[in-house]
């Protein structure tokens, strides 16, 4: 299933300028580098979609910045994308959907939920707005001041 999920991600993300290396896609924007990573659970065949942002003003990300190195990180789940999000369901081994239905659902969810989020967060101001709106983002201390971010606020 991982190959098919990667194909759906590849189709959606490369269309808007992301470049893939292994299970990670990167796109350079004017102020940030965006990173999308497909991660497999250590316990079953569930997958997670990690979304992260390296802020270029805080240093050079290099050509292969990893999701876990980024200044702002999150996972494509309802608390991040909105309570109606189904991305997590389409990536879950526990889903009762047939493979074709899961992949089509994932394709639609990427188009409707993930790609708009990436477009909104393609600059520092967009990142600021999203981390104010949605709390589950992990923000590195080095980015707190630039993003006007206070943990727990």
């Amino acid at each position: 299933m991982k190959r098919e999920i990667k194909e759906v991600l590849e189709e959606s993300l490369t269309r808007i300028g992301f470049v893939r290396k292994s299970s990670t896609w990167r796109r350079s924007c004017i102020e940030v580098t965006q990173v999308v990573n497909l991660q497999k659970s250590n316990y079953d065949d569930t997958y997670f979609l990690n979304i992260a942002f390296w802020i270029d003003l805080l240093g050079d990300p290099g050509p292969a910045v990893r999701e876990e190195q980024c200044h702002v990180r999150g996972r494509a789940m309802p608390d991040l994308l909105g309570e109606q999000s189904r991305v997590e369901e389409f990536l879950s081994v526990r889903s009762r959907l047939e493979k074709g239905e899961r992949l089509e659902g994932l394709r639609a969810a990427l188009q409707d939920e993930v790609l708009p989020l990436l477009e909104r967060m393609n600059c520092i101001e967009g990142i600021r707005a999203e981390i104010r709106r949605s709390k589950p983002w992990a923000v590195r201390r080095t980015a707190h001041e630039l993003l006007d971010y206070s943990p727990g606020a």
Side-chain angles (χ1 to χ4, degrees):
M1 187 69 170
K2 185 173 185 177
R3 181 179 55 79
E4 291 93 343
I5 292 171
K6 282 172 86 169
E7 287 173 2
V8 170
L9 288 167
E10 179 79 7
E11 172 189 310
S12 296
L13 294 171
T14 57
R15 190 171 58 242
I16 62 167
F18 278 81
V19 176
R20 180 175 70 88
K21 181 176 180 184
S22 188
S23 293
T24 301
W25 290 261
R26 294 173 191 84
R27 174 172 78 163
S28 292
C29 299
I30 293 173
E31 299 176 315
V32 301
T33 298
Q34 298 179 320
V35 180
V36 176
N37 170 260
L38 181 64
Q39 176 186 353
K40 185 183 177 300
S41 168
N42 290 330
Y43 305 104
D44 58 28
D45 286 332
T46 295
Y47 292 90
F48 304 103
L49 193 62
N50 301 312
I51 302 170
F53 305 90
W54 177 277
I55 300 169
D56 296 342
L57 282 174
L58 299 175
D60 182 2
V65 65
R66 296 186 318 272
E67 176 267 336
E68 65 270 14
Q69 296 172 309
C70 288
H71 299 106
V72 178
R73 302 170 56 210
R75 184 165 280 170
M77 297 175 74
D79 56 350
L80 185 77
L81 296 171
E83 62 185 51
Q84 302 300 317
S85 175
R86 294 184 67 198
V87 172
E88 186 179 26
E89 175 188 355
F90 299 129
L91 295 173
S92 174
V93 70
R94 293 180 273 303
S95 173
R96 296 179 187 259
L97 300 172
E98 295 294 324
K99 183 167 102 173
E101 191 177 356
R102 282 176 69 185
L103 294 173
E104 282 308 309
L106 178 60
R107 187 174 282 111
L110 289 169
Q111 185 66 40
D112 297 343
E113 302 168 29
V114 176
L115 299 186
L117 176 74
L118 291 168
E119 287 306 313
R120 290 192 305 271
M121 296 182 78
N122 68 0
C123 63
I124 292 170
E125 193 51 47
I127 292 172
R128 264 190 209 118
E130 282 298 317
I131 64 175
R132 282 188 196 121
R133 184 190 69 74
S134 178
K135 298 299 180 199
W137 293 101
V139 180
R140 289 195 182 274
R141 185 169 291 135
T142 54
H144 286 190
E145 185 177 345
L146 179 66
L147 297 174
D148 301 322
Y149 176 79
S150 296

